[in-house]
Amino acid sequence: MLEPWVQQKLSSVDAGHDWWHAVRVRNSALTIAEDEGGNRQIIETAALVHDLVDDKFFIPADAEKEIVSKLQSLFFKQNDIDHIMHIISSMSFSKELDGSSFDSLEFRIVQDADRLDAIGAIGIARTFSYGGHKGREFYNPNIPFEEVSSKRQYRNGATPTINHFYEKLLKLKEMMKTKTGRAMAEERHQFMARYLEQFFKEWG
Ligand code: NI
C-alpha cells in the first residue's frame, strides 16, 4: 500500500508539508483532472509522494531511489514510474526559477494542485507555520521586499514571513498552468490579498 508508507515518511516534517498536505494536493489534483483529463493514477501517485524529495526535509537522491523501489513493489509500469519521478523532481518554485524543462499534462496538474495549497487560507497557515519553524519574524518594517531571481537567493533568505507573500505567494496565480487550476486559484488569491490588507491596517 502506498498511502501508509507515505504517511509514515511524512510524519517528521512540519505541518505545512505533512500527510494532510499530500492529501489536499491529491484531492485538488484529481479535481483539476476531472476537467483537464490526464492519467489519474499518475496524477494521484505523484501528488501523494511529491514532497518526499523536498531537499528541505530529505536527501533527494536517496528519497528518489526509495520511491522507485516502492512503486516497483506495487507493480507500477516502468514508464509510469519514470513519468512520476520526472513530475516530482521538476515541481518546485525554485526549480522553475532555475528553468526546469520537463512538461506533461499530469505534471501541470500536480504542480497546480501543490500551488493551490500554497495560497489562500491554508497557504497563510502554512506560511506562518514554516516561518515559525525557521524562527522568522512575522514582519519587520526595516526589511524591504525583494525580487527573488535564483534558487540560492530564494533559499538563503531569512527574511520575515510577510515578505514571502510578495516574493512568492502572490505570484503563483499567474504561474498556474491549467485553466481549471487558475480558476481555482482566483478566490484563494483574492482572500490572501484581503488578508495582507488587514494585516497592514492592524500593524498601523
Ligand atoms: Ni508540496
Side-chain angles (χ1 to χ4, degrees):
M1 282 283 288
L2 184 64
E3 294 192 16
W5 183 77
V6 175
Q7 192 165 9
Q8 193 271 323
K9 288 265 163 211
L10 291 173
S11 59
S12 57
V13 307
D14 79 298
H17 298 83
D18 65 2
W19 165 247
W20 298 112
H21 166 64
V23 169
R24 291 190 302 269
V25 173
R26 184 257 308 268
N27 293 345
S28 295
L30 291 175
T31 301
I32 296 171
E34 278 168 27
D35 289 332
E36 304 277 338
N39 178 320
R40 292 179 71 85
Q41 189 193 33
I42 288 176
I43 291 167
E44 176 166 24
T45 307
L48 284 175
V49 303
H50 80 276
D51 271 333
L52 295 182
V53 294
D54 189 324
D55 64 6
K56 291 195 291 296
F57 310 105
F58 301 101
I59 299 162
D62 295 351
E64 281 170 24
K65 277 183 212 144
E66 279 189 59
I67 296 166
V68 169
S69 40
K70 184 69 194 172
L71 296 179
Q72 282 166 342
S73 78
L74 295 170
F75 305 106
F76 277 67
K77 282 182 270 174
Q78 193 58 46
N79 274 353
D80 290 348
I81 296 176
D82 292 344
H83 190 173
I84 289 162
M85 298 315 290
H86 277 304
I87 292 173
I88 66 175
S89 60
S90 312
M91 267 176 64
S92 71
F93 184 70
S94 43
K95 279 274 165 50
E96 190 152 339
L97 288 177
D98 283 353
S100 171
S101 60
F102 180 76
D103 195 19
S104 72
L105 174 59
E106 289 80 4
F107 167 69
R108 292 171 176 228
I109 289 172
V110 179
Q111 187 180 53
D112 276 5
D114 191 36
R115 289 179 169 173
L116 282 172
D117 213 57
I119 61 177
I122 287 172
I124 293 167
R126 292 181 70 214
T127 305
F128 281 101
S129 168
Y130 187 70
H133 175 76
K134 289 286 195 180
R136 290 179 186 157
E137 295 174 297
F138 292 157
Y139 174 56
N140 182 332
N142 301 322
I143 301 178
F145 310 142
E146 281 180 55
E147 275 302 313
V148 181
S149 56
S150 77
K151 178 174 179 172
R152 196 180 51 77
Q153 199 184 353
Y154 174 58
R155 278 294 166 76
N156 288 348
T159 55
T161 296
I162 282 287
N163 296 36
H164 189 65
F165 287 86
Y166 295 90
E167 290 163 356
K168 174 180 173 185
L169 305 183
L170 290 169
K171 294 177 179 165
L172 290 179
K173 180 177 71 119
E174 291 306 316
M175 294 170 75
M176 301 297 280
K177 290 180 177 149
T178 68
K179 200 161 153 262
T180 311
R182 187 176 282 235
M184 288 166 75
E186 190 60 47
E187 184 190 18
R188 297 179 190 217
H189 181 91
Q190 296 306 334
F191 182 82
M192 210 162 49
R194 278 210 314 282
Y195 171 81
L196 290 167
E197 208 175 289
Q198 181 71 20
F199 183 97
F200 284 109
K201 193 171 153 194
E202 292 178 18
W203 192 279

